[in-house]
Amino acid sequence: MNKPLVLPAPAKLNRLLHIVGRRPDGYHELQTLFQFLDHGDTLRFHLREDGEIRLTPEIPGVPAEENLIVRAARALQAESGCRLGAEIHLEKRLPLGGGLGGGSSDAATALLGLNALWQLGLTLDRLAELGLTLGADVPVFVRGHAAWGEGVGERLTPVELDTPWFVVVHPGVAVSTPAVFGAPELTRNTPPITMARALQGGASSWRNDCEATVRALYPPVAEALDWLSARAPALLTGTGACIFARLASEAEADRLLAEIAGRWPAFKARGLNRSPLHDVLDHDVLDDDVLGHDAVELDS
């Protein structure tokens, strides 16, 4: 069998999340700062000549055809008319519904990976447009740079953020995004600010407008946030359930992880302004063998 094309699907954090309004269609208008982590899922792609898309392993409760990876592959086939297919193996590290963008990142990696494997030559702009049909967070992973996001998070402006170490904690509950955005008490009228003002304020002033609602709806998240905030600056990412603490050094992250051990699942990661997916694709340019449909393995 062909050697696999192996690509990372990194996690993201919302370093800031403001809800500035609600649209007539029910979606919320946001302002946010996206940043990547050097931690995430891994996707392995093998070329198929018969057009079939097969994803392994199955994720409990998520039929294959509803998985964003398969939907991304189908969208790419429909857009390009490509008759090739792929065997895709997902090594899942990011929790489902954790606010880390795992499903969106997987979809973006599928779009970019298959665009390369199938030699389609679609631009990042077109891939980001396809990604938006799959989910509001997919375009930032496609574009691959830390960004100021507006609208539902799809209007992106690249930014350079600080790159501290983070400890990310999963409080052990599944947070329903519709429940959070549908809660009557959710803040929906934060005054919009400019990107320049947000960046000038710095990390010490950043907050997540969903946090108070998630705390009220999910006491385990409140408990973990209180515990973590007593030790380092901590925030909710997205609508949760994951929370993160910002640390000055890897040694501090290691000490905090040691203290967390046995309480909750947790990991450490470095903040990144450039997605490791793009680093891998740019560093390991597909060679002539791949152009002959014999994929090479890319180290993530």
Side-chain angles (χ1 to χ4, degrees), residues 10-13 35-39 166 168 267 269-272 276:
K12 60 84 177 166
L13 295 177
Q35 187 170 36
F36 305 108
L37 297 177
D38 63 351
H39 178 88
F166 296 100
V168 180
F267 64 86
R270 188 71 184 264
L272 302 173

Side-chain angles (χ1 to χ4, degrees), residues 165 167 169 215 222-235 243-249 251-261 263-264:
W165 283 89
V167 168
V169 175
R215 278 179 170 274
E223 178 188 354
L225 266 168
D226 288 342
W227 188 94
L228 200 59
S229 296
R231 291 156 177 82
L235 281 177
I243 61 178
F244 63 94
R246 175 170 47 91
L247 288 310
S249 68
E252 289 187 18
D254 286 334
R255 286 193 291 271
L256 182 54
L257 270 182
E259 194 174 353
I260 291 170
R263 291 177 178 267
W264 303 284

Side-chain angles (χ1 to χ4, degrees), residues 12-14 32-36 137 140 146-149 153 156 161:
K12 60 84 177 166
L13 295 177
N14 295 94
T32 190
L33 283 169
F34 291 109
Q35 187 170 36
F36 305 108
D137 285 350
V140 72
W148 171 253
L156 301 168
L161 302 177

Side-chain angles (χ1 to χ4, degrees), residues 97-100 173-177 180 208 210 214 221 236-243:
L100 299 173
V173 295
V175 169
S176 165
T177 296
V180 174
N208 184 333
C210 295
V214 174
V221 176
L236 186 78
T237 180
T239 57
C242 287
I243 61 178

Side-chain angles (χ1 to χ4, degrees), residues 125-189:
D125 285 346
R126 185 62 192 127
L127 291 172
E129 290 172 0
L130 284 176
L132 185 58
T133 68
L134 302 170
D137 285 350
V138 179
V140 72
F141 289 106
V142 169
R143 295 194 178 279
H145 203 284
W148 171 253
E150 297 184 282
V152 296
E154 86 289 1
R155 298 204 306 269
L156 301 168
T157 303
V159 296
E160 295 291 328
L161 302 177
D162 62 325
T163 55
W165 283 89
F166 296 100
V167 168
V168 180
V169 175
H170 193 292
V173 295
V175 169
S176 165
T177 296
V180 174
F181 279 121
E185 67 272 20
L186 180 69
T187 298
R188 296 181 173 88
N189 59 351

Side-chain angles (χ1 to χ4, degrees), residues 60-119:
V62 183
E65 290 299 320
E66 294 179 16
N67 189 291
L68 284 177
I69 295 171
V70 176
R71 291 175 57 199
R74 300 286 188 219
L76 204 55
Q77 287 176 324
E79 169 69 16
S80 65
C82 180
R83 296 186 178 182
L84 297 172
E87 298 270 357
I88 307 171
H89 180 81
L90 171 63
E91 186 176 341
K92 192 71 182 163
R93 298 186 186 91
L94 301 177
L96 297 176
L100 299 173
S104 295
S105 186
D106 292 343
T109 294
L111 289 172
L112 271 71
L114 293 173
N115 186 53
L117 189 64
W118 293 342
Q119 307 167 47

